């Protein structure tokens, strides 16, 4: 289910709501290494002035993953404040050198009927997720095999004993 905000609901003032993102986004957008551990909840507030829609949202929940270093199952917290603006279709220029906002990642065009908030939220979450998460990214403390200094040994010698 997509999280869409109808613009006619914003004509009388500020709109707000709370939603839960579909947990299938983790497998679809992040791959098999991540899964939703605690539901990703979204609190949003939207207002429209003339044809410009401003949305402020807070996303919170957690993902589960396997540490890329030790393989331990861990939890990655997700907590973000996201702001985005939508302008009427055709308001953004089409790529010239003196375009204002054409390449702004926090600015999109709407069709005059509704905005798709879910795609913006998922993009913001995906960008913040580490490519190879390890124990330092997790809620839990460092795993027992973590060392602050690298283990150095030379080829041909046996590796040092692991504590």
């Amino acid at each position: 289910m997509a999280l869409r905000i109808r613009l006619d609901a914003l004509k009388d003032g500020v709109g707000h709501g709370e939603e839960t993102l579909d947990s299938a986004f983790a497998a679809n957008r992040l791959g098999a290494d991540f899964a939703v551990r605690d539901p990703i909840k979204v609190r949003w507030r939207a207002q429209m002035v003339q044809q410009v829609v401003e949305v402020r949202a807070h996303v919170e929940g957690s993902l589960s993953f396997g540490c890329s270093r030790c393989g331990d199952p861990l939890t990655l917290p997700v907590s973000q404040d996201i702001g985005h603006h939508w302008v009427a279709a055709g308001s953004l220029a089409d790529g010239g050198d003196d375009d204002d906002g054409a390449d702004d990642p926090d600015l999109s065009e709407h069709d005059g009927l509704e905005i798709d908030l879910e795609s913006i939220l998922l993009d913001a979450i995906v960008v913040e997720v580490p490519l190879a998460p390890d124990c330092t990214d997790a809620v839990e403390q460092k795993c027992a095999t973590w060392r602050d200094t690298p283990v150095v040994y030379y080829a041909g010698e046996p590796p040092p004993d692991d504590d």
Side-chain angles (χ1 to χ4, degrees):
M1 178 181 125
L3 174 54
R4 299 186 184 275
I5 300 173
R6 298 212 29 96
L7 298 184
D8 58 357
L10 301 177
K11 291 189 180 191
D12 296 330
V14 176
H16 55 84
E18 290 189 30
E19 305 286 337
T20 302
L21 293 178
D22 184 2
S23 60
F25 89 89
N28 295 339
R29 299 286 300 269
L30 299 172
D33 295 334
F34 292 93
V36 173
R37 180 171 178 160
D38 295 318
I40 309 293
K41 299 196 183 275
V42 179
R43 287 189 328 255
W44 60 268
R45 183 178 189 276
Q47 65 182 10
M48 184 169 65
V49 176
Q50 297 196 5
Q51 291 296 312
V52 178
V53 179
E54 176 188 28
V55 175
R56 299 280 176 208
H58 179 74
V59 178
E60 195 156 344
S62 65
L63 300 171
S64 61
F65 69 97
C67 174
S68 63
R69 185 173 178 149
C70 68
D72 287 348
L74 299 169
T75 304
L76 179 71
V78 174
S79 180
Q80 286 182 269
D81 291 316
I82 300 163
H84 199 83
H85 291 84
W86 282 262
V87 296
S91 297
L92 296 178
D94 55 358
D97 289 341
D98 53 346
D99 289 345
D100 291 334
D103 294 328
D104 187 347
D106 297 326
L107 186 62
S108 301
E109 291 183 341
H110 62 74
D111 61 4
L113 300 175
E114 65 184 10
I115 57 173
D116 178 13
L117 184 56
E118 185 173 7
S119 64
I120 299 300
L121 298 174
L122 294 180
D123 287 347
I125 292 169
V126 168
V127 167
E128 293 297 319
V129 172
L131 291 176
D134 59 30
C135 296
T136 59
D137 297 311
V139 172
E140 297 87 353
Q141 297 297 318
K142 294 179 184 177
C143 62
T145 59
W146 183 269
R147 294 176 186 230
D148 288 328
T149 58
V151 176
V152 178
Y153 62 95
Y154 301 97
E157 294 180 8
D161 291 333
D162 203 6
D163 301 359

